[in-house]
Amino acid sequence: TTSSPPSGSSHTQQRQRPQPPPPPPKPCEWIRPARTPKNTLPLFLGEGGLPSFPREASVGGKGAAEDAWKAKPGRVPSLETHMASAPRAREDASWFSALASGSASPTGHTLPHTIDSYSSVTVSPLPSEISEAEFERRMRESCDVWRRRGHKGVFLELDVRQANLIPIAVRLGFRFHLARNNTGLILSLWLPEGVPNNLPSGPSHFLGVAALVVRDSDKRVLVVQEKTGPAAKYKVWKLPGGQANIRESIEKAAIREVFEETGVRTTFRSLASILHLQSNKRNLARAGHSDVFCTCILDAKDPEPVLKLQENEIKAAKWVNVEELTKLLIYSAKNTAFRRSVEAAVAIIERGHSMSSHNGKSSSQVDGGLLSEMLPLGFGKNKKIDVLRARL
């Protein structure tokens, strides 16, 4: 018969001795604590062993821990005791608590977005099928996450068919930033609390062009009479032109406006002058925005161009001698902005030149003005930008 070891023996004490705790996790290490249930969230440990999520922003619900973790029925988050020892940990703990209560979603809870070089978030496009309740919940959760990650602002683009979401966005703190005719409304939100808002305002200027078109056969220039607007009221003759479109260069805007108004095909020679015009405050359509007005010199491609007028805008068009320009009503008053702009263009023409193409193909021998060229931006990948370069 074998007798059991006596009570309190060294063998029993050795068998019942508690195991030492596991070593503390290294900083920036994915873990699932060994002594917690299997239904816990994976944690990302930062400096000091405090749980947090990666600082990189999640794009489209991919990349960060809270977006990548796949929820399963019955899973609840585990809150470690050290989560309450730092502000960032407490913020994460509040999100974990919301996740446990069901008021936050564990996967893809941030709206699809991108991050710009100024650490601001752009939400565009917003899912077209999103409901009002889902938009409010997900936008509120997304802003909380973006604020914890240290992002500065949020730009939200709403399609005109999503106008029902505007009151919700305003209630969440968004303000109007820019309205577009075709795409809808852009709103902005400043995320940091207790810090002045330094998000840029919407566009503040319009870009207008006027074209002094030279006919090569007799060196005469093209002028038009408009059907509407202030010029039509006084029946004045003026240079053709108009407003540049979004992302349209000065060169392309001038060429397009001349062709639309008169049917004359042209090539760009140079920019003669730039005017900065202050808008009339009573003009609600411009909302007080200024006008940067550029006078360009173009050359007609055909020696004898055929005029084809734009019916809804242009009443008449004709060719006049260069000397007659300053005698036209709109350019006749001396020391006015329009007179100076035309004088600058006429001076460039009268200096004489041998005209050829430009923009990398050959050089234009011009004694004044600025040339339009497509040049590398200087940073980024294969980015180019339209610039105006002085002929020195």
Side-chain angles (χ1 to χ4, degrees):
T1 316
T2 10
S3 60
S4 60
S7 175
S9 67
S10 60
H11 178 70
T12 306
Q13 289 177 356
Q14 183 177 2
R15 186 172 56 186
Q16 294 177 352
R17 182 180 300 166
Q19 295 297 323
K26 299 178 181 179
C28 300
E29 179 185 8
W30 286 99
I31 67 165
R32 182 182 298 280
R35 294 181 178 273
T36 53
K38 293 183 179 180
N39 60 345
T40 57
L41 287 173
L43 300 178
F44 187 82
L45 299 188
E47 295 182 3
L50 296 179
S52 61
F53 287 113
R55 298 293 294 179
E56 293 79 19
S58 168
V59 179
K62 297 178 181 179
E66 62 265 49
D67 294 332
W69 187 73
K70 303 299 182 181
K72 292 183 179 180
R75 272 187 171 174
V76 294
S78 173
L79 297 179
E80 302 296 324
T81 56
H82 58 263
M83 294 187 70
S85 60
R88 181 180 174 96
R90 286 196 296 270
E91 291 175 1
D92 286 335
S94 64
W95 183 81
F96 272 75
S97 300
L99 191 61
S101 64
S103 59
S105 56
T107 57
H109 70 286
T110 52
L111 289 164
H113 62 281
T114 57
I115 306 297
D116 64 22
S117 56
Y118 293 94
S119 192
S120 290
V121 180
T122 299
V123 182
S124 176
L126 192 68
S128 57
E129 70 284 354
I130 193 167
S131 65
E132 294 182 10
E134 183 183 4
F135 169 74
E136 182 170 7
R137 176 182 59 80
R138 293 187 66 186
M139 179 57 76
R140 194 185 301 276
E141 294 175 4
S142 299
C143 289
D144 288 342
V145 172
W146 296 328
R147 188 177 288 109
R148 289 201 312 272
R149 291 174 181 168
H151 297 300
K152 300 299 183 182
V154 182
F155 291 95
L156 167 66
E157 183 172 17
L158 295 178
D159 188 87
V160 290
R161 293 165 294 185
Q162 298 172 319
N164 59 310
L165 303 180
I166 295 176
I168 301 174
V170 172
R171 191 163 62 244
L172 294 175
F174 282 86
R175 295 296 178 261
F176 297 143
H177 180 77
L178 172 65
R180 290 180 176 171
N181 292 337
N182 299 324
T183 57
L185 183 67
I186 298 176
L187 300 97
S188 64
L189 171 66
W190 180 245
L191 289 174
E193 298 176 351
V195 180
N197 185 346
N198 63 359
L199 289 179
S201 59
S204 59
H205 288 69
F206 289 90
L207 180 63
V209 294
L212 195 153
V213 182
V214 182
R215 187 168 63 180
D216 189 57
S217 60
D218 53 9
K219 306 305 178 186
R220 305 187 100 195
V221 296
L222 182 62
V223 293
V224 298
Q225 262 190 345
E226 295 180 339
K227 287 185 177 182
T228 60
K233 180 179 179 181
Y234 298 100
K235 299 179 181 180
V236 300
W237 291 90
K238 58 183 285 292
L239 299 178
Q243 183 176 315
N245 294 327
I246 296 176
R247 299 185 183 91
E248 186 177 38
S249 68
I250 296 173
E251 171 188 4
K252 293 179 180 178
I255 293 174
R256 174 186 55 78
E257 283 288 346
V258 170
F259 180 73
E260 289 178 355
E261 293 185 357
T262 66
V264 177
R265 297 186 180 277
T266 59
T267 57
F268 182 87
R269 183 189 302 186
S270 67
L271 176 68
S273 65
I274 300 176
L275 303 178
H276 187 194
L277 308 176
Q278 300 298 324
S279 176
N280 189 334
K281 293 182 179 180
R282 294 175 295 179
N283 188 341
L284 185 61
R286 287 183 174 260
H289 290 173
S290 301
D291 194 351
V292 177
F293 193 75
C294 305
T295 301
C296 307
I297 302 176
L298 308 182
D299 287 279
K301 287 185 175 181
D302 301 323
E304 297 290 337
V306 177
L307 298 178
K308 185 178 180 181
L309 306 185
Q310 189 176 21
E311 286 188 20
N312 60 331
E313 289 191 19
I314 304 301
K315 180 180 179 181
K318 64 179 181 179
W319 298 91
V320 300
N321 293 324
V322 174
E323 298 79 13
E324 296 180 45
L325 273 179
T326 53
K327 298 178 182 178
L328 299 177
L329 178 60
I330 192 172
Y331 309 119
S332 60
K334 293 183 178 181
N335 294 322
T336 60
F338 288 122
R339 171 67 176 256
R340 291 284 186 90
S341 65
V342 168
E343 286 177 340
V346 171
I348 293 173
I349 294 174
E350 291 180 342
R351 285 186 191 132
H353 60 278
S354 60
M355 184 61 197
S356 61
S357 61
H358 60 284
N359 202 14
K361 299 178 182 179
S362 60
S363 61
S364 173
Q365 304 300 322
V366 183
D367 291 332
L370 300 175
L371 301 179
S372 175
E373 294 184 313
M374 179 72 77
L375 297 177
L377 187 59
F379 57 90
K381 295 183 179 179
N382 302 322
K383 290 185 177 179
K384 293 188 176 182
I385 187 172
D386 285 306
V387 299
L388 293 165
R389 181 174 63 82
R391 170 65 66 183
L392 302 176

